[in-house]
């Protein structure tokens, strides 16, 4: 059974990714760790419990992590996911409590206890991961793989023209994570904007009718759907974190990926938060005259969006295995 830690700034798309992992019988979610991002860390923790409760499977331990980014003030996204990060639809707060152990300690302990086995899916700013790497790099070398929703991938950002939210919030942390030598996969925001990747209004309505978990997944994204209407002129849904979780859970959805050298820009310039993805394919000059950097991440270039949607719908509506 695969062993996964989910690190999340739980907003409404994180919630769907959490449902996917908790409802997958081939993985065990060892812990959910929370971080500030979409909302403050306390609210992200409440939302993690809401998502765990909605999954109707089992309750992994939840550990609270960083209140703020490494170097900068927190930036949140209530304008996108709602004031509570979950669409402001009046979701109840489950009667569940976080562990006393800090997220960073929990990550390090679980990795030490399961050397070479733990896969981390990080769905928010990389602050907790960077702190864990800085605290005990030897332990973090025992991580099997990091899957990250972060960067513009091969495209643009969603906060600035070059920076995607998770990197923009804490680019210093993202740099620590990207430059750390463990196998990792980056899923950029471009993936959930591929042709066919959006969930159109008819699909949203169809999914809503497929059962309580499916309904929860759509309902809690109401603010995100409305955000699309405001910025794109149409009610539709993009799901960055579920695409990242999908790449982790269902590798068969990946149709193109490259091992790349990724450089995270942390200078206080308009490039702050950009991840430059070099896949060594450019031929405009003699490459031997340029500095050569070894790849430090696999970057997803395209996925089979229709297979992803099929898998997601099945995961949300299938009878679950409780554990
Ligand atoms: O840019 C999209 C990412 O930022 C997603 O992880 C979303 O939840 C927010 O954290
Ligand atoms: Ca997120």
């Amino acid at each position: 059974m695969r062993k996964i830690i989910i690190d999340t700034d739980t907003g409404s798309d994180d919630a769907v990714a959490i449902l996917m992992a908790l409802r997958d019988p081939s993985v065990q979610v060892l812990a959910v760790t929370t971080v500030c991002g979409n909302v403050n860390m306390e609210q992200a923790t409440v939302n993690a419990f809401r998502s765990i409760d909605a999954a109707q499977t089992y309750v992994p331990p939840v550990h609270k992590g960083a209140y703020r980014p490494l170097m900068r003030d927190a930036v949140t996204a209530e304008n996108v996911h709602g004031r509570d990060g979950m669409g402001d639809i009046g979701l109840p707060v489950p009667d569940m409590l976080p562990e006393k152990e800090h997220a960073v300690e929990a990550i390090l302990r679980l990795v030490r206890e399961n050397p070479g086995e733990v896969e981390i899916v990080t769905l928010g700013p990389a602050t907790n991961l960077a702190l864990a790497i800085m605290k005990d790099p030897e332990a973090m070398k025992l991580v099997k793989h990091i899957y990250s929703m972060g960067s513009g991938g091969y495209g643009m950002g969603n906060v600035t023209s070059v920076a995607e939210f998770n990197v923009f919030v804490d680019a210093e942390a993202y740099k620590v994570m990207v430059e750390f030598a463990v196998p990792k996969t980056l899923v950029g925001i471009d993936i959930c904007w591929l042709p066919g990747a959006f969930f159109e209004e008819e699909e949203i309505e169809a999914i809503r009718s497929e059962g309580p978990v499916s309904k929860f997944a759509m309902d809690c994204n109401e603010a995100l759907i409305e955000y699309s209407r405001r910025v794109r002129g149409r009610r539709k849904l993009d799901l960055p974190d579920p695409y990242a979780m999908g790449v982790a859970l269902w590798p068969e959805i990946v149709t193109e990926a490259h091992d790349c050298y990724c450089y995270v820009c942390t200078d206080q310039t308009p490039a702050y938060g950009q991840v430059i993805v070099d896949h060594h394919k450019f031929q405009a000059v003699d490459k031997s005259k340029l500095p050569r950097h070894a790849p430090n991440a696999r970057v997803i270039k395209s996925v089979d969006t229709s297979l992803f949607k099929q898998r997601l719908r099945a995961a949300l509506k299938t009878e679950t295995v409780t554990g």
Side-chain angles (χ1 to χ4, degrees):
M1 171 113 49
R2 290 173 72 186
K3 296 179 179 176
I4 289 186
I5 296 174
I6 304 175
D7 189 62
T8 166
D9 59 334
T10 323
S12 56
D13 67 320
D14 302 66
V16 179
I18 292 171
L19 297 177
M20 290 161 64
L22 287 176
R23 291 174 65 79
D24 187 325
S26 71
V27 309
Q28 181 193 2
V29 178
L30 297 178
V32 174
T33 55
T34 57
V35 66
C36 66
N38 285 318
V39 285
N40 69 58
M41 191 277 297
E42 295 292 348
Q43 185 65 49
T45 306
V46 168
N47 294 345
F49 282 126
R50 286 168 155 171
S51 313
I52 290 166
D53 193 38
Q56 300 178 10
T57 52
Y58 60 100
V59 180
V62 174
H63 299 261
K64 298 199 295 184
Y67 278 85
R68 47 159 288 185
L70 295 185
M71 313 281 287
R72 308 199 337 155
D73 291 338
V75 176
T76 52
E78 285 90 352
N79 59 321
V80 180
H81 296 271
R83 279 187 313 283
D84 73 349
M86 297 285 276
D88 298 326
I89 54 168
L91 289 172
V93 176
D95 190 16
M96 298 173 178
L97 288 175
E99 305 295 311
K100 291 208 165 53
E101 186 182 33
H102 191 275
V104 172
E105 296 298 346
I107 292 170
L108 290 170
R109 176 180 53 77
L110 289 166
V111 169
R112 287 187 204 112
E113 286 173 2
N114 301 277
E117 286 191 83
V118 176
E119 299 171 77
I120 302 178
V121 183
T122 171
L123 306 173
T127 319
N128 287 338
L129 266 73
L131 288 169
I133 290 166
M134 290 189 292
K135 179 156 193 204
D136 191 344
E138 288 310 311
M140 287 301 279
K141 280 188 196 145
L142 302 172
V143 169
K144 183 174 181 187
H145 203 104
I146 296 174
Y147 294 89
S148 162
M149 194 286 120
S151 84
Y154 297 84
M156 297 177 71
N158 60 350
V159 176
T160 69
S161 58
V162 295
E164 177 279 328
F165 181 81
N166 288 339
V167 188
F168 181 82
V169 172
D170 197 345
E172 287 77 11
Y174 210 78
K175 190 176 186 77
V176 170
M177 184 191 78
V178 163
E179 292 182 356
F180 189 65
V182 295
K184 64 183 83 70
T185 297
L186 307 191
V187 181
I189 192 86
D190 56 333
I191 293 304
C192 69
W193 295 341
L194 287 170
F198 274 93
F199 290 76
E200 301 292 340
E201 179 99 74
E202 317 76 68
E203 288 174 296
I204 296 169
E205 286 315 313
I207 295 171
R208 247 192 250 285
S209 68
E210 287 172 350
V213 182
S214 312
K215 180 169 171 3
F216 172 88
M218 296 299 106
D219 288 353
C220 74
N221 275 292
E222 178 56 28
L224 189 52
I225 296 167
E226 267 300 296
Y227 173 79
S228 248
R229 189 187 56 74
R230 290 199 304 280
V231 302
R232 301 186 178 95
R234 201 159 82 232
R235 276 175 61 82
K236 54 183 187 171
L237 178 60
D238 57 336
L239 289 175
D241 291 341
Y243 271 101
M245 185 62 82
V247 166
L249 298 180
W250 312 314
E252 62 277 14
I253 69 171
V254 176
T255 50
E256 187 176 350
H258 298 280
D259 290 329
C260 303
Y261 170 66
C262 298
Y263 178 84
V264 184
C265 302
T266 52
D267 290 348
Q268 306 300 310
T269 68
Y272 182 82
Q274 179 175 17
V275 179
I276 298 171
V277 171
D278 179 358
H279 60 90
H280 300 291
K281 293 282 191 292
F282 307 114
Q283 298 294 338
V285 296
D286 177 356
K287 280 287 230 186
S288 65
K289 296 195 171 63
L290 295 176
R292 199 67 194 159
H293 298 282
N296 51 14
R298 183 174 69 120
V299 184
I300 304 300
K301 182 138 193 215
S302 89
V303 299
D304 181 335
T305 56
S306 119
L307 183 58
F308 167 78
K309 288 178 174 181
Q310 220 175 294
R311 290 280 150 87
L312 175 67
R313 289 174 77 157
L316 299 180
K317 83 172 164 189
T318 314
E319 285 302 306
T320 57
V321 181
T322 45

